Amino acid sequence: MIMRGNIVSTLGPLLALLIAIIFFASQSDRFLTGPNLSLVVQQVMVVGTLAIGQTLVILTAGIDLSNGAVMALSSIVITKFATAYGLPPLVSVLAGLLVCAAFGLLNGTLITRLRLPPFIVTLGTLNIAFALTHIYSREETVSSLPDALTFFGNTFKIGQTSVTYGSVLMFVLFLITWFILRETAGGRHVYAIGNNPEAARLTGIRVSSMLLFVYTTAAIIYGIAGLLLVARTGVGDPNAGQTENLDSITAVVLGGTSLFGGRGSVMGTLVGALIVGIVRNGLQLMGVQSIYQVLITGILVILAVTVDQLARRRQK
């Protein structure tokens, strides 16, 4: 039943994506070219990766406002460890992932042990991560990075189109997460907790441990997004990630995942991220000012949440 509902919830976003593609293709000859579509994927690979972790959290009926700030902190840790301390790139990346895991563990512990609302907890850790990023970086952009840290920003050719390794990594992460949620007991437990945590507990699911695992895993994924951010920009920027938390929620909501938990698909999130990327890219090709791109994205989010609410009411 859950899997069937997830397929249905993804059909709407897929239709919206198809309509957007047809519309923008009719408005610009450049839109459906390989280089432009590759650019769209490059532009969404960081937010798309963030949205994978956000999807896991929202499926449990939680929310994570800290993910953009945690990603920015991890990118500074990775780049500083590699440049200021001269550590090997792999060690630097592991350090960044460890910092992210610590934040995820903190979020999960406060939510499960102290019963604090996820919104409040992650709002607090957002500010902590933001402050630590600026304190540790001393407000300075970290540059002159070793080539290994920018590997995922490199490209390879498919025909005449250049594709980044980071885009491939994002798609691989989506596939792995989709498989885990669909085919494993742990994935089914995530949905069960989002539907009804008390009923899940009565069936033998260790709800607190599972939530702790979800928040920690999501945070590690934010660290991978931080690595992709470094690879895409070629620097460690302390000012990065300030709106990515909202962008990741936008991708999840547009992808058909319910903000109330228990229903949705990570593949829907991929579609949602692509919708945002295609709308912004298409409007840019049409010469529409960026502020109107933000306006239209906001309208799309409200429409998506409205559809979700109406669907929930019909189920009741």
Side-chain angles (χ1 to χ4, degrees):
M1 181 65 70
I2 289 177
M3 292 302 111
R4 186 184 307 164
N6 293 337
I7 293 173
V8 172
S9 69
T10 307
L11 290 179
L14 275 173
L15 180 60
L17 179 62
L18 181 60
I19 292 172
I21 290 173
I22 293 172
F23 173 75
F24 290 120
S26 70
Q27 299 299 308
S28 173
D29 294 335
R30 294 170 51 197
F31 179 76
L32 279 182
T33 61
N36 186 63
L37 294 179
S38 177
L39 177 62
V40 170
V41 176
Q42 291 176 44
Q43 290 172 336
V44 304
M45 71 179 184
V46 173
V47 169
T49 303
L50 271 182
I52 295 173
Q54 188 74 260
T55 302
L56 295 176
V57 172
I58 290 178
L59 283 174
T60 66
I63 196 79
D64 193 344
L65 299 178
S66 69
N67 62 356
V70 170
M71 175 191 71
L73 177 58
S74 74
S75 70
I76 292 298
V77 170
I78 290 170
T79 52
K80 288 274 283 187
F81 272 46
T83 57
Y85 310 137
L87 294 175
L90 179 59
V91 174
S92 301
V93 171
L94 291 176
L97 296 180
L98 185 61
V99 168
C100 290
F103 268 90
L105 192 61
L106 175 62
N107 285 335
T109 299
L110 292 175
I111 291 166
T112 58
R113 304 304 179 191
L114 299 184
R115 308 292 183 185
L116 299 179
F119 182 92
I120 299 300
V121 170
T122 58
L123 179 62
T125 52
L126 179 158
N127 287 286
I128 293 171
F130 178 83
L132 289 177
T133 299
H134 286 264
I135 292 170
Y136 185 53
S137 67
R138 298 181 180 178
E139 308 283 352
E140 297 175 350
T141 299
V142 185
S143 58
S144 301
L145 306 181
D147 292 340
L149 290 186
T150 59
F151 168 78
F152 287 107
N154 296 335
T155 61
F156 63 94
K157 289 282 189 178
I158 297 181
Q160 298 300 314
T161 303
S162 297
V163 179
T164 62
Y165 291 103
S167 299
V168 175
L169 177 59
M170 179 193 71
F171 286 123
V172 169
L173 289 173
F174 269 106
L175 284 172
I176 292 173
T177 308
W178 170 81
F179 178 82
I180 291 172
L181 287 174
R182 181 181 173 87
E183 302 295 338
T184 69
R188 290 189 288 273
H189 292 172
V190 169
Y191 283 103
I193 292 171
N195 276 314
N196 190 324
E198 182 59 22
R201 185 186 65 82
L202 293 175
T203 61
I205 297 173
R206 300 174 61 184
V207 175
S208 293
S209 298
M210 195 65 200
L211 285 175
L212 199 62
F213 177 76
V214 165
Y215 277 91
T216 304
T217 301
I220 292 173
I221 295 173
Y222 306 154
I224 297 174
L227 176 61
L228 293 180
L229 176 65
V230 169
R232 176 164 167 73
T233 62
V235 297
D237 183 4
N239 295 309
Q242 295 189 25
T243 62
E244 272 76 357
N245 57 346
L246 300 181
D247 288 342
S248 68
I249 295 171
T250 298
V252 175
V253 171
L254 289 179
T257 295
S258 174
L259 285 172
F260 301 95
R263 184 171 66 86
S265 166
V266 72
M267 284 306 178
T269 296
L270 174 59
V271 174
L274 291 175
I275 290 174
V276 174
I278 281 175
V279 167
R280 291 179 177 175
N281 176 267
L283 292 174
Q284 189 174 22
L285 290 177
M286 292 172 60
V288 177
Q289 296 180 25
S290 60
I291 190 63
Y292 291 103
Q293 299 173 27
V294 177
L295 173 65
I296 292 173
T297 302
I299 293 172
L300 289 175
V301 170
I302 292 174
L303 289 174
V305 175
T306 301
V307 170
D308 178 48
Q309 280 280 44
L310 293 175
R312 286 176 61 85
R313 289 174 185 174
R314 281 198 296 268
Q315 290 177 355
K316 291 180 180 179

